[in-house]
Amino acid sequence: MMKYLSAILIFCAGILPQMVPAQSGKVIESLTFQSKTVPYPVEYSIYLPPDYETSQRSYPVLYLLHGYSDDETAWVQFGEANRIADRGIANGDFPPCIIVMPDGKVSWYCNSHDGKERWEEMFVREFMPAIEKQYRIRPKKEFRAIAGLSMGGFGALKISMRNPDLFAACVALSSGTFTEEEFVNMPAGQYENMFGKIFGPGLTGNDRLTESLKSQSPLHLLDSVAPEKLKSIRFYIDCGDDDFLYRGNAALHVKMRNLNIPHEYRTRDGGHVWEYWRTGLFDGLKFIRQSFHR
């Protein structure tokens, strides 16, 4: 009888850790940052890891960018970023970190051609320093990462490439990266609605390849940013095989290979949907872990 009881206890001990629910981090949504660079309050949500309020330690930070037409609540509401982080931290897949999710509106996280929209300037010069002062964040490149989906994937690539001294890792999911051919041949309505205010309105054909576009497109930044700077960032690019953005992502991968820029490139079964990005975020956080790990 004792032999069977011992076996049961050993079995239960083996599965018990999987049965214990993960501790929950804290999510605070729609906080407001008052900027001097953009003419509107910048809203953001933040995830604080489970032990944030019981420890005195400082944490790595991930800036997590949403897609076109979403806002600062999307990654929690639809992407379940907090649950993914809770589970990964509990399982030891990645270390506790703070996740900051700002509202990028439909700015493509850019400085516009006419200077009326200066989102990136606001983010780098005002927002990040203020956030890293307000919360217990380790304000160094080696403890800072940026990630995003679709428009946010474009933003993560573009901001990290233009500011390589700030970020240790970049994760781009279904990045809104378009080739020159796609920009040139884009239907007028689509171009005007999505990019006219950013790169220049009323343009057609090759005239769309403006200096504003070239200075912010990840494919062009590979040519204009020093390779040594780009190699200091760990890149992770993931785009589904059914995603309409596959051309730009594949072109980015090929060009980075040709330029010997180290990166990880993934193509999985799926399209431009939240189901794909939720699994992608988990893998992306595991990738970022290698940058934060000591």
Side-chain angles (χ1 to χ4, degrees), residues 275-292:
E275 180 182 3
Y276 190 90
W277 301 322
R278 283 191 289 267
T279 56
L281 178 62
F282 186 85
D283 292 339
L285 285 170
K286 290 177 68 175
F287 175 82
I288 289 171
R289 173 192 180 184
Q290 299 173 44
S291 300
F292 293 162

Side-chain angles (χ1 to χ4, degrees), residues 67-135:
Y68 193 84
S69 79
D70 276 328
D71 59 26
E72 77 285 353
T73 66
W75 264 114
V76 171
Q77 183 177 2
F78 305 116
E80 301 177 6
N82 55 321
R83 295 183 182 181
I84 293 169
D86 286 344
R87 185 173 76 248
I89 291 169
N91 292 342
D93 291 311
F94 32 84
C97 71
I98 291 173
I99 303 176
V100 183
M101 297 159 277
D103 182 12
K105 298 185 179 296
V106 290
S107 68
W108 287 85
Y109 305 99
C110 285
N111 299 328
S112 64
H113 72 102
D114 56 7
K116 292 182 178 180
E117 173 65 72
R118 293 186 290 160
W119 199 96
E120 181 187 334
E121 182 180 340
M122 175 279 300
F123 177 71
V124 172
R125 296 187 179 182
E126 291 185 317
F127 184 79
M128 284 175 46
I131 290 294
E132 294 178 10
K133 183 177 180 180
Q134 181 175 352
Y135 300 94

Side-chain angles (χ1 to χ4, degrees), residues 1-261:
M1 182 68 179
M2 289 299 295
K3 183 184 297 185
Y4 291 118
L5 180 59
S6 297
I8 292 172
L9 289 173
I10 292 171
F11 174 76
C12 290
I15 65 172
L16 186 59
Q18 301 175 25
M19 298 171 61
V20 176
Q23 288 183 301
S24 297
K26 183 178 182 180
V27 174
I28 310 172
E29 291 190 316
S30 299
L31 298 166
T32 300
F33 170 73
Q34 297 296 332
S35 169
K36 296 179 181 179
T37 303
V38 296
Y40 49 81
V42 179
E43 293 188 296
Y44 68 96
S45 297
I46 192 165
Y47 166 86
L48 302 174
D51 62 348
Y52 184 84
E53 294 182 341
T54 59
S55 77
Q56 297 299 316
R57 62 179 290 197
S58 295
Y59 297 83
V61 63
L62 167 65
Y63 292 95
L64 186 58
L65 309 181
H66 64 76
Y68 193 84
S69 79
D70 276 328
D71 59 26
E72 77 285 353
T73 66
W75 264 114
V76 171
Q77 183 177 2
F78 305 116
E80 301 177 6
N82 55 321
R83 295 183 182 181
I84 293 169
D86 286 344
R87 185 173 76 248
I89 291 169
N91 292 342
D93 291 311
F94 32 84
C97 71
I98 291 173
I99 303 176
V100 183
M101 297 159 277
D103 182 12
K105 298 185 179 296
V106 290
S107 68
W108 287 85
Y109 305 99
C110 285
N111 299 328
S112 64
H113 72 102
D114 56 7
K116 292 182 178 180
E117 173 65 72
R118 293 186 290 160
W119 199 96
E120 181 187 334
E121 182 180 340
M122 175 279 300
F123 177 71
V124 172
R125 296 187 179 182
E126 291 185 317
F127 184 79
M128 284 175 46
I131 290 294
E132 294 178 10
K133 183 177 180 180
Q134 181 175 352
Y135 300 94
R136 297 199 312 274
I137 290 171
R138 306 186 73 172
K140 294 182 179 180
K141 170 186 170 80
E142 60 197 292
F143 302 113
R144 190 186 292 123
I146 189 167
L149 68 88
S150 195
M151 181 185 83
F154 170 94
L157 287 166
K158 187 259 306 189
I159 291 174
S160 63
M161 288 178 174
R162 283 165 56 96
N163 302 275
D165 295 335
L166 293 180
F167 300 96
C170 170
V171 171
L173 307 175
S174 306
S175 165
T177 298
F178 295 89
T179 65
E180 285 192 352
E181 181 182 6
E182 287 178 301
F183 270 116
V184 167
N185 295 320
M186 192 175 291
Q190 181 184 354
Y191 175 84
E192 288 300 319
N193 289 337
M194 299 184 73
F195 300 110
K197 291 182 179 180
I198 304 299
F199 301 132
L203 303 176
T204 58
N206 288 325
D207 289 341
R208 292 174 178 172
L209 306 178
T210 63
E211 287 305 313
S212 176
L213 184 150
K214 291 179 180 179
S215 69
Q216 301 189 88
S217 162
L219 283 167
H220 288 91
L221 288 168
L222 288 175
D223 294 322
S224 60
V225 179
E228 295 75 18
K229 293 286 188 179
L230 293 175
K231 290 177 181 179
S232 73
I233 306 168
R234 299 182 64 253
F235 291 101
Y236 184 95
I237 300 165
D238 181 1
C239 186
D241 57 2
D242 295 320
D243 197 309
F244 69 94
L245 292 169
Y246 75 93
R247 290 185 185 88
N249 283 269
L252 192 67
H253 164 58
V254 171
K255 191 166 186 177
M256 292 178 87
R257 279 289 303 269
N258 291 342
L259 293 173
N260 295 315
I261 305 298

